[in-house]
């Protein structure tokens, strides 16, 4: 019998962070969205699986600092986690996000997730 996730399970938002200002803005947006949706943000850095331990440690410190900055900007506490993923792991999560409640925000893409205002249409005719 297939198992179904519990109804109380909160949605997760996945944000790839790399220390850039763009990924910080995306992380801030995700934290604000997590507060609205009662969700959790998973801030991840993509790192080769054969990276040295000091590179892994430095990257983890970078992610945590970026999350702390975003928390300070938003005031949203307790809604984030961090992780290091190798490229195949990140791609697998990204592919599985379609149709689910997992939102993938990838640097350097700067897409707005908010609805855009309607465009004004001019009447056709000669003026």
């Amino acid at each position: 019998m297939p198992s179904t996730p519990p109804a109380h399970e909160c949605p997760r938002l996945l944000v790839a962070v790399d220390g850039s200002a763009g990924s910080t803005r995306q992380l801030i947006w995700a934290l604000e969205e997590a507060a609205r949706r009662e969700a959790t943000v998973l801030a991840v850095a993509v790192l080769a699986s054969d990276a040295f331990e000091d590179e892994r440690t430095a990257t983890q410190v970078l992610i945590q600092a970026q999350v702390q900055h975003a928390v300070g900007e938003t005031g949203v506490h307790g809604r984030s986690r961090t992780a290091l993923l190798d490229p195949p792991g990140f791609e697998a999560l990204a592919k599985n996000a379609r149709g689910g409640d997992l939102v993938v925000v990838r640097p350097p893409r700067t897409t707005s997730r908010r609805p855009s205002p309607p465009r004004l249409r001019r009447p056709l005719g000669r003026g």
Side-chain angles (χ1 to χ4, degrees), residues 81-117:
R81 298 178 134 190
T82 61
L84 297 178
L85 294 177
D86 60 6
F90 180 77
E91 288 304 317
L93 281 175
K95 286 179 184 175
N96 286 325
R98 294 188 184 112
D101 59 17
L102 181 69
V103 176
V104 178
V105 184
R106 302 167 113 191
R109 189 183 285 176
T110 56
T111 340
S112 172
R113 301 288 184 195
R114 294 181 181 91
S116 61

Side-chain angles (χ1 to χ4, degrees), residues 16-105:
V17 295
D18 60 4
S20 69
S23 67
T24 298
R25 285 190 301 273
Q26 293 168 340
L27 187 56
I28 288 169
W29 174 86
L31 282 171
E32 291 169 343
E33 193 64 23
R36 282 191 282 278
R37 296 176 182 248
E38 296 187 19
T40 300
V41 172
L42 178 59
V44 301
V46 180
L47 192 62
S49 56
D50 62 350
F52 293 110
E53 189 59 36
D54 59 341
E55 186 178 3
R56 298 178 78 72
T57 301
T59 303
Q60 187 66 36
V61 168
L62 173 74
I63 298 171
Q64 290 171 347
Q66 203 165 359
V67 167
Q68 288 304 316
H69 175 77
V71 166
E73 290 287 318
T74 62
V76 176
H77 296 274
R79 296 214 170 264
S80 60
R81 298 178 134 190
T82 61
L84 297 178
L85 294 177
D86 60 6
F90 180 77
E91 288 304 317
L93 281 175
K95 286 179 184 175
N96 286 325
R98 294 188 184 112
D101 59 17
L102 181 69
V103 176
V104 178
V105 184

